[in-house]
Amino acid sequence: MTGYGHGEIDHGGTKFSVELNSVNRKQSDIVINLPRDLAELEPRIRQTINENISRGRTNVVVTFYNNPNGTRPLALDTELARSYHEAMRSLQKELNAPGEITISTVLQAPGVMRFTEQAVKSEEAWPSIDRALRAALAELIKMREREGRHLAKDLIHRLKAIRKNLKEIRALHPDVVKRYRTSLIDRIQKAGLPIATDDERLLKEISFFADRADVSEELTRLESHLAQFAHHLRRNEPVGRTLEFITQEIFRELNTLGAKANDAAITQRVVACKAELEKIREQVQNLE
């Protein structure tokens, strides 16, 4: 699921900022960008995020600065600037190239102007970073919850479509054996075989077919799985992995149902159920 959160804490004249953003991913993947002085805090930050988020790629950017107006002081490397200037003039002379080497040209060279390093102790900074991180997490989770509610509406709509098809399959199923019996007797008569309609062999064949084509158990289990899916979808906790498992079970039952159908109308509705379920599976993989 996608989301964004930002937290900022001012402590002792130093402002600590934590920025989070997350995108869809089946597993949890956390990428943390920390200042060098705070590198040892990465395990704590990772643990805090894992306690709150179990899926998705989460990018974390932690920054701090002392200046209250939000700017960081710049430092000029005079020796490096002089080296650049001498090298530029030497190259210009060697190539006999026209043009003017200005102060602007030298200042734009890499490393001449840079932000000064601000020393900070990680242990002293952690309480402030922790508060900023939790504020950012709260904002990100709230955004993900809004997205989750929209996804839940879509999933409920697709569950209704599957239930509608299963209801039609249940209504169609009793006629499958009747049509098979009629078709079998018709073929026997066309073949000119001397078999009566109440012949024991004929009745046994029809009985075997009825047993093979019986999908009542699959329909019952499917209705149970759909009810479980809807129940977990309403729970106020991470349910993505649970719903993914239930979706796999629904797929398995639909495959069995399709194999036993022996009827074009039922097969058509099984295919429609699978199409809806595939869309559900894609959405569920993004749920927390």
Side-chain angles (χ1 to χ4, degrees):
M1 296 177 69
T2 58
Y4 174 84
H6 179 260
E8 203 168 72
I9 297 295
D10 194 342
H11 177 72
T14 301
K15 187 167 288 187
F16 296 94
S17 173
V18 177
E19 185 175 349
L20 304 175
N21 68 76
S22 67
V23 294
N24 291 330
R25 182 160 292 188
K26 187 175 179 180
Q27 305 297 333
S28 177
D29 181 21
I30 303 172
V31 179
I32 302 175
N33 187 349
L34 279 167
R36 185 173 55 188
D37 291 342
L38 303 177
E40 64 184 74
L41 297 179
E42 181 174 337
R44 301 188 198 181
I45 294 173
R46 192 177 298 276
Q47 180 181 350
T48 301
I49 294 173
N50 281 328
E51 289 171 357
N52 292 272
I53 298 174
S54 59
R55 274 186 167 182
R57 177 185 173 93
T58 305
N59 296 303
V60 187
V61 179
V62 179
T63 57
F64 68 92
Y65 46 85
N66 294 324
N67 198 317
N69 62 13
T71 61
R72 293 172 59 187
L74 286 169
L76 171 64
D77 191 331
T78 307
E79 289 299 322
L80 183 60
R82 185 177 290 110
S83 296
Y84 273 121
H85 185 252
E86 291 174 357
M88 290 175 185
R89 291 188 62 182
S90 175
L91 181 62
Q92 186 180 42
K93 183 177 180 181
E94 181 180 341
L95 299 178
N96 195 25
E100 186 178 0
I101 301 173
T102 64
I103 186 65
S104 175
T105 307
V106 177
L107 290 176
Q108 290 177 14
V112 174
M113 296 291 291
R114 67 182 187 279
F115 291 113
T116 58
E117 294 290 334
Q118 298 170 283
V120 63
K121 294 182 179 179
S122 57
E123 287 300 325
E124 295 177 0
W126 171 243
S128 299
I129 293 174
D130 184 45
R131 287 168 57 197
L133 174 61
R134 293 185 184 279
L137 275 170
E139 189 176 319
L140 180 139
I141 290 171
K142 191 177 294 184
M143 186 172 176
R144 285 163 63 106
E145 286 175 347
R146 286 196 296 268
E147 182 186 2
R149 285 192 288 270
H150 287 295
L151 289 177
K153 289 179 182 179
D154 179 70
L155 292 174
I156 289 171
H157 173 74
R158 299 192 186 282
L159 286 179
K160 288 180 179 178
I162 293 175
R163 283 197 175 103
K164 178 177 178 293
N165 281 300
L166 292 180
K167 186 177 180 181
E168 293 175 1
I169 290 172
R170 192 177 283 278
L172 289 168
H173 178 251
D175 293 332
V176 173
V177 178
K178 294 178 183 178
R179 284 197 295 273
Y180 177 76
R181 181 179 184 278
T182 302
S183 174
L184 183 60
I185 292 174
D186 184 58
R187 291 201 306 271
I188 290 172
Q189 290 175 348
K190 286 181 179 179
L193 298 175
I195 299 178
T197 56
D198 59 349
D199 187 279
E200 181 180 350
R201 291 170 296 174
L202 179 63
L203 296 177
K204 186 176 292 185
E205 173 60 27
I206 295 171
S207 175
F208 284 156
F209 175 82
D211 184 60
R212 291 195 305 270
D214 183 22
V215 294
S216 57
E217 290 184 10
E218 284 75 18
L219 288 172
T220 300
R221 285 195 291 267
L222 280 167
E223 289 170 358
S224 173
H225 292 331
L226 292 174
Q228 289 183 56
F229 192 103
H231 168 71
H232 285 288
L233 195 59
R234 291 190 293 267
R235 298 179 67 176
N236 189 26
E237 59 183 49
V239 293
R241 299 186 190 281
T242 302
L243 295 182
E244 193 173 351
F245 171 75
I246 296 174
T247 301
Q248 291 173 355
E249 291 300 300
I250 296 174
F251 260 121
R252 190 170 64 84
E253 295 297 342
L254 285 174
N255 285 333
T256 306
L257 179 60
K260 296 172 69 174
N262 288 291
D263 181 80
I266 291 178
T267 300
Q268 183 180 3
R269 285 159 176 80
V270 169
V271 171
C273 287
K274 286 184 176 181
E276 292 292 342
L277 194 61
E278 178 61 28
K279 294 172 184 175
I280 288 175
R281 185 187 65 82
E282 292 175 1
Q283 294 284 38
V284 163
Q285 287 182 347
N286 296 326
L287 286 177
E288 180 70 21

